[in-house]
Structures are given as structure tokens and as C-alpha cells.
């Protein structure tokens, strides 16, 4: 939600997902042997960020700056079950709940229109850290608690947009996050760091390009799809972790979307379809994914709405 104030100054509030911990995995281990068992792993929860910020415009809206403060937290739940085929072995059930809190990322953004029809922008998010508290519980009810601290490294993003024609916008952006400077420390009961782990991560990189078709001159009586906004895009990313053979994990995705107007100028109802692939046959990871997105944006909330 964005609230405009006076003299080009505005404030905004929001929430967004940083990670999604929902997954399911099953596999039969030691097939044909005496200790054959079925392993099932399920995850839920994730990491989210509440954010608040202030923005300001100047030079007849050709320059805009923004400052954002975030509060990061969330809980991830991992359930691991082993069901043995033989009654000579006891089935196991382990539950791990990890609470993450204390992250306070600060971001700064800049957007400018130096000359028409070009716009450029850049963002910087400073490094912060998360406090982790995990509770491990097995089938017999025994519990074990542990604590750790994890760094959220700094990130940088740049982008540009050009209005190629009155109806067509072409945009491109690049972001990187310094996961090579990441640190994970185990904390003892007295609050003393015992050592670092998770070494060997690389910097994450992502490049994207998008095309937007705006409606031309129209009236409220024109057909709905003639007044709609159409979008298409492509992204390519390199993930921070490497596979066991040392190769990078890459990801690409194609997106398509449509924005249907609400009345004339009250906002849009947007839909998105994304298809992509993460990893390949030469790595330990190979995954094809399909995402669906939906959003409603209101630009004006007048009495007559």
C-alpha cells in the first residue's frame, strides 16, 4: 500500500515472501535389502518480510529516491519419516522446527528519467543477520534445542526502461547478491559463536528482460481486451549453490501476463503464467516448474468507486 503525502513525498507498507519452504520428497532406500525402508520428507512454512518505506520525487518527477526498512521472520517445519519394510526395525519420525527472526534489512533505491524516453534505476540492500532457534523432536518425544546466527548478504540491482513506441515498453534489469560473503554460526547456550559453516557459496546473479504493450487511445466503451495491458518476459539466473560435480546451477523462465482495467483508471486485475527450468541433466538438480500469479492493483479509491 502506498500513501501519497505532500510535495512528492509518500509512504508505503507491504509484505512479501522471501523463501517458500513447502516441498515433498519420497524415495525407497536400500531396495532388496533387509533394512529396506521408505523415506518421506515434507516441509512447510517460509521466511517473510514486513517492510515500510518513504519515497520522494523531485525535478518534475524526473528523479525519485526511496528508503525502506524491513523486519524479517518466519518458521520452517521439516518432517522426516522412515517406514521399514521389515518388522525387525523400528520406524522413525523426526520433526525439526526452525524459527527465524531478528533480520532488519535496510534498502535504498534511486530512479531517474535523464532524457525521454529512457528511465534508469538502481537499488542497494545492506547486509543483515538472522537469529535461528531450532527444536528437534523424535518419535519418542525427546527434544533438543539449538541456536545459530545466519547472515543475509548485501544485494545490488540495476535496471532500465525505454518507451520504444507510444504503446511499447522494453525493460531490462540485473541483480546480484553476495552469498560468497555469507556466514552461518552455531551459538551455544551462553551466546558464544562456536564456528562457521555453509562455506563455498557463490554470488547469485539474475538477468531479466520484459516487454509491455500499453493500450492506445481508447474509450470506456471499447472492448475489454482492447483496453488491456499485455506483458511478456524472460529471466536467466545463476543460483548460489554448486552441485557435487562443481557445476553451477542455472535457471531460466518465460513469463506472459495480462492486466485487465477496472473501470477506466481505477486500477488493474493482473494474471501471470511462468514456465521455467532449474538445473539440467548434468547436475544433481533438474526441475521443471510452472507458476501462476494473480494480483489486484488500485490506483485510485474515490468515493464513487
Amino acid at each position: 500500500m502506498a500513501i501519497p503525502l505532500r510535495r512528492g513525498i509518500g509512504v508505503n507498507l507491504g509484505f512479501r515472501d522471501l523463501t517458500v519452504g513447502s516441498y515433498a520428497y519420497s524415495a525407497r532406500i536400500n531396495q532388496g535389502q533387509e533394512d529396506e525402508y521408505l523415506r518421506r520428507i515434507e516441509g512447510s512454512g517460509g521466511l517473510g518480510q514486513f517492510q515500510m518505506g518513504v519515497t520522494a520525487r523531485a525535478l518534475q518527477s524526473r528523479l525519485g529516491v526511496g528508503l525502506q526498512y524491513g523486519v524479517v521472520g518466519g518458521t520452517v517445519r521439516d518432517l522426516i519419516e522412515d517406514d521399514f519394510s521389515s518388522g525387525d526395525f523400528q520406524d522413525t519420525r523426526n520433526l525439526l522446527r526452525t524459527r527465524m527472526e531478528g533480520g532488519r534489512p535496510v534498502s535504498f533505491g534511486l530512479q531517474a528519467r535523464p532524457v525521454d524516453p529512457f528511465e534508469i534505476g538502481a537499488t542497494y540492500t545492506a547486509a543483515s543477520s538472522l537469529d535461528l532457534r531450532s527444536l528437534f523432536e523424535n518419535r519418542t518425544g525427546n527434544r533438543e534445542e539449538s541456536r545459530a546466527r545466519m547472515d543475509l548478504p548485501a544485494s545490488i540491482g540495476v535496471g532500465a526502461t525505454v518507451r520504444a513506441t507510444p504503446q511499447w515498453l522494453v525493460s531490462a534489469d540485473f541483480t546480484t547478491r553476495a552469498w560468497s560473503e555469507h556466514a552461518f554460526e552455531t551459538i551455544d547456550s551462553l551466546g558464544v559463536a562456536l564456528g562457521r559453516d555453509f562455506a563455498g557459496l557463490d554470488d547469485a546473479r539474475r538477468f531479466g528482460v520484459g516487454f509491455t504493450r500499453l493500450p492506445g487511445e481508447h474509450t470506456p466503451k471499447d472492448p475489454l481486451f482492447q483496453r488491456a495491458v499485455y506483458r511478456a518476459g524472460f529471466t536467466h539466473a545463476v543460483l548460489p549453490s554448486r552441485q557435487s560435480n562443481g557445476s553451477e546451477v542455472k535457471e531460466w523462465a518465460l513469463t506472459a501476463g495480462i492486466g485487465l482495467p477496472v473501470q477506466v483508471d481505477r486500477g488493474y486485475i493482473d494474471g501471470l503464467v511462468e514456465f521455467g527450468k532449474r538445473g539440467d541433466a548434468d547436475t544433481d538438480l533438474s526441475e521443471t516448474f510452472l507458476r501462476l500469479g494473480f494480483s489486484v492493483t488500485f490506483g485510485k479509491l474515490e468515493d464513487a468507486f
Side-chain angles (χ1 to χ4, degrees):
M1 179 176 62
I3 305 173
L5 302 178
R6 296 181 178 181
R7 298 182 181 181
I9 298 177
V11 296
N12 59 80
L13 302 171
F15 173 83
R16 66 189 181 104
D17 288 327
L18 297 179
T19 63
V20 178
S22 299
Y23 66 92
Y25 165 83
S26 64
R28 189 160 293 278
I29 311 298
N30 298 336
Q31 295 190 46
Q33 301 182 27
E34 185 180 1
D35 59 347
E36 177 182 344
Y37 63 93
L38 176 65
R39 166 159 290 183
R40 292 190 296 265
I41 307 177
E42 294 182 0
S44 60
L47 192 64
Q49 174 176 317
F50 290 96
Q51 54 200 39
M52 59 200 78
V54 58
T55 60
R57 294 181 295 174
L59 303 177
Q60 298 179 340
S61 295
R62 286 184 173 271
L63 177 66
V65 295
L67 182 66
Q68 187 179 85
Y69 175 79
V71 178
V72 176
T75 301
V76 175
R77 181 179 182 272
D78 299 283
L79 176 64
I80 306 173
E81 295 180 307
D82 291 339
D83 294 332
F84 287 87
S85 302
S86 172
D88 296 334
F89 298 89
Q90 184 178 10
D91 297 337
T92 63
R93 183 183 187 276
N94 299 317
L95 176 62
L96 176 64
R97 292 190 297 268
T98 304
R99 174 65 184 171
M100 300 167 286
E101 57 190 4
R104 299 289 188 271
V106 177
S107 303
F108 174 78
L110 175 69
Q111 188 172 351
R113 188 187 304 133
V115 293
D116 292 328
F118 294 94
E119 292 190 22
I120 57 175
T123 63
Y124 173 76
T125 300
S128 61
S129 62
L130 275 176
D131 294 325
L132 283 70
R133 183 183 299 271
S134 295
L135 180 63
F136 178 83
E137 181 178 352
N138 60 21
R139 190 184 190 95
T140 61
N142 293 328
R143 296 187 176 187
E144 181 180 344
E145 184 175 309
S146 58
R147 297 171 55 201
R149 182 181 297 114
M150 179 179 125
D151 288 346
L152 294 177
S155 65
I156 298 175
V158 295
T161 296
V162 57
R163 186 182 286 269
T165 70
Q167 285 187 263
W168 281 96
L169 297 177
V170 181
S171 305
D173 62 68
F174 174 79
T175 58
T176 180
R177 191 162 195 139
W179 283 106
S180 60
E181 301 177 6
H182 164 275
F184 183 92
E185 297 178 323
T186 303
I187 309 298
D188 66 10
S189 58
L190 300 178
V192 178
L194 301 179
R196 296 195 171 192
D197 200 354
F198 284 9
L201 294 180
D202 296 330
D203 293 346
R205 306 183 300 276
R206 176 191 174 277
F207 170 78
V209 59
F211 304 89
T212 303
R213 185 186 183 277
L214 304 172
E217 294 185 4
H218 60 275
T219 68
K221 296 182 179 181
D222 290 332
L224 179 65
F225 291 98
Q226 185 176 328
R227 296 181 284 124
V229 176
Y230 296 90
R231 305 179 179 90
F234 171 79
T235 61
H236 183 272
V238 177
L239 305 186
S241 59
R242 289 183 175 267
Q243 298 304 296
S244 59
N245 60 4
S247 62
E248 293 181 332
V249 180
K250 298 179 181 179
E251 175 184 295
W252 62 264
L254 294 170
T255 60
I258 184 173
L260 302 177
V262 178
Q263 292 190 5
V264 179
D265 59 352
R266 303 297 173 84
Y268 283 90
I269 298 175
D270 294 283
L272 167 73
V273 176
E274 181 181 41
F275 172 80
K277 185 173 180 60
R278 181 181 299 116
D280 53 50
D282 296 330
T283 69
D284 299 333
L285 174 66
S286 181
E287 178 183 26
T288 301
F289 58 86
L290 178 69
R291 295 191 181 106
L292 302 177
F294 173 79
S295 70
V296 179
T297 304
F298 293 119
K300 294 183 178 180
L301 292 175
E302 301 176 357
D303 294 338
F305 182 75

